[in-house]
């Protein structure tokens, strides 16, 4: 499976099509009983409005939802992917047939409100650490079945992706170290068993563990739940040898101070786990 960074526009469109197909299957099912009240030949024009400021994300999913039910519908975006809209701004105009637009409405809005929420939250964290070397990074704490979509939204908001799943990179934690027989043993083992991994990262909880990991050749280290003074010492001890990432207890009140310690990456599960949907609505216009 390709990493998201290797996706082309066609790959992204296919991902959106697959996500939308599942969503429409659970929503429309055997048919939209309410939309059936409308003449199938009746044309319609609709607008999607943002009720609050947000970074727009999810245009491939919206387009896939509309075109799945009305292939000839015309969509005109007034705010492009990754741009910020303002409250009460029209972000999209649609012309097509009324019946399929009514059926696609909720699925299109669901993707737009979720992915825009992830992108907007990510952008807020990115702005909070501006001027430091720290990148804002996501985690695997995503909605089941929508991981790639949410990770795409993180990049749209200016963040970076961590591993996509258990298959593409290695993150060695305390239990892995204990089960494998220690830091040196586990790092040697991973070189033998996972040469295809995009990266190998090892988690440490103390400066002594960091020192051991560096002496064993670690190139990427996760500093777990360390306070600011300890993080500063860790950066000094590391001296640029490995990529340093921190996680645990990160929020908008703490992220700037954490970034100023000089770490390279800050991973935040809340980017995809604790999101509040952006408020969008679709309004039909008389023709």
């Amino acid at each position: 499976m390709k990493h998201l960074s290797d996706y082309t526009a066609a790959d992204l469109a296919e991902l959106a099509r697959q996500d939308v197909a599942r969503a429409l299957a659970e929503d429309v099912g055997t048919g939209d009983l309410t939309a059936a009240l409308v003449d199938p030949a009746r044309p319609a024009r609709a607008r999607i409005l943002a009720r609050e400021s947000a970074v727009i994300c999810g245009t491939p999913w919206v387009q896939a939802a509309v075109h799945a039910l009305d292939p000839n519908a015309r969509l005109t975006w007034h705010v492009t992917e990754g741009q910020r809209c303002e409250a009460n701004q029209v972000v999209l105009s649609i012309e097509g047939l009324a019946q399929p637009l009514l059926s696609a409405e909720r699925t299109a809005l669901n993707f737009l409100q979720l992915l825009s929420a992830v992108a907007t939250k990510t952008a807020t964290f990115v702005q909070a650490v501006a001027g430091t070397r720290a990148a804002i990074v996501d985690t695997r704490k995503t909605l089941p079945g929508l991981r790639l979509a949410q990770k795409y939204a993180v990049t749209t908001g200016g963040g970076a992706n961590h591993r996509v799943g258990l298959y593409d990179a290695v993150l060695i934690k305390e239990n892995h170290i204990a089960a494998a027989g220690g830091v040196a043993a586990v790092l040697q083992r991973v070189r033998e068993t996972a040469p295809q991994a995009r990266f190998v990262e090892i988690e440490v909880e103390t400066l002594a563990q960091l020192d051991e990991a560096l002496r064993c050749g670690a190139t990427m280290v996760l500093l777990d739940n360390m306070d600011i003074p300890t993080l500063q010492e860790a950066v000094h001890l590391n001296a640029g040898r490995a990529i340093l990432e921190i996680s645990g207890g990160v929020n908008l009140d703490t992220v700037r101070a954490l970034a100023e310690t000089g770490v390279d990456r800050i991973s935040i599960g809340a980017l995809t786990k604790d999101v509040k949907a952006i408020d969008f609505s679709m309004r039909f216009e008389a023709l």
Side-chain angles (χ1 to χ4, degrees):
M1 184 180 294
K2 289 195 296 186
H3 188 256
L4 194 57
S5 61
D6 298 323
Y7 269 44
T8 64
D11 292 330
L12 190 63
E14 177 59 19
L15 170 65
R17 188 197 66 77
Q18 293 176 10
D19 288 343
V20 163
R22 294 194 307 271
L24 288 173
E26 72 179 3
D27 195 31
V28 178
T30 57
D32 184 342
L33 300 180
T34 312
L37 301 172
V38 178
D39 182 351
R42 184 178 179 85
R45 184 166 54 227
R47 302 182 303 163
I48 292 181
L49 293 88
R51 298 303 187 185
E52 55 188 304
S53 177
V55 174
I56 293 298
C57 182
T59 61
W61 284 262
V62 174
Q63 291 172 184
V66 173
H67 284 149
L69 300 183
D70 184 357
N72 296 317
R74 296 181 298 278
L75 288 77
T76 303
W77 289 94
H78 306 293
V79 183
T80 59
E81 193 85 334
Q83 286 188 332
R84 182 171 286 275
C85 67
E86 300 305 323
N88 298 315
Q89 183 175 356
V90 176
V91 299
L92 172 64
S93 299
I94 309 173
E95 294 184 9
L97 295 173
Q99 191 179 96
L101 283 183
L102 289 166
S103 297
E105 175 183 357
R106 178 40 52 197
T107 294
L109 291 177
N110 281 350
F111 280 110
L112 187 61
Q113 68 186 22
L114 170 65
L115 300 183
S116 294
V118 173
T120 302
K121 189 162 194 173
T122 302
T124 302
F125 275 97
V126 169
Q127 181 59 39
V129 302
T132 72
R133 66 182 298 153
I136 299 298
V137 182
D138 57 24
T139 71
R140 288 166 46 238
K141 297 176 181 178
T142 54
L143 295 178
L146 291 177
R147 177 167 296 172
L148 288 177
Q150 287 193 281
K151 282 182 171 284
Y152 163 78
V154 167
T155 63
T156 301
N161 296 146
H162 205 277
R163 55 180 177 168
V164 175
L166 298 174
Y167 58 86
D168 69 320
V170 175
L171 177 52
I172 303 165
K173 297 196 173 187
E174 181 181 3
N175 287 339
H176 300 105
I177 295 171
V183 171
V186 76
L187 287 175
Q188 177 59 38
R189 179 67 174 157
V190 75
R191 296 184 187 103
E192 299 168 356
T193 61
Q196 76 278 21
R198 288 194 304 110
F199 60 80
V200 175
E201 184 172 18
I202 187 166
E203 181 183 75
V204 302
E205 296 178 340
T206 67
L207 293 175
Q209 290 175 339
L210 171 61
D211 184 57
E212 182 184 9
L214 293 172
R215 285 188 284 105
C216 291
T219 58
M220 191 172 186
V221 181
L222 178 63
L223 308 173
D224 187 44
N225 283 304
M226 291 184 178
D227 58 24
I228 296 293
T230 306
L231 288 172
Q232 291 170 332
E233 289 188 54
V235 171
H236 178 73
L237 174 64
N238 180 56
R241 286 178 285 176
I243 296 170
L244 295 184
E245 178 180 332
I246 60 177
S247 71
V250 181
N251 56 51
L252 281 173
D253 293 329
T254 62
V255 70
R256 180 73 194 188
L258 292 169
E260 288 177 345
T261 63
V263 297
D264 301 288
R265 294 154 56 102
I266 302 175
S267 54
I268 306 171
L271 298 181
T272 52
K273 180 173 67 74
D274 302 327
V275 291
K276 177 182 179 296
I278 300 297
D279 189 5
F280 292 99
S281 63
M282 182 182 288
R283 291 290 179 265
F284 277 63
E285 300 175 352
L287 290 178

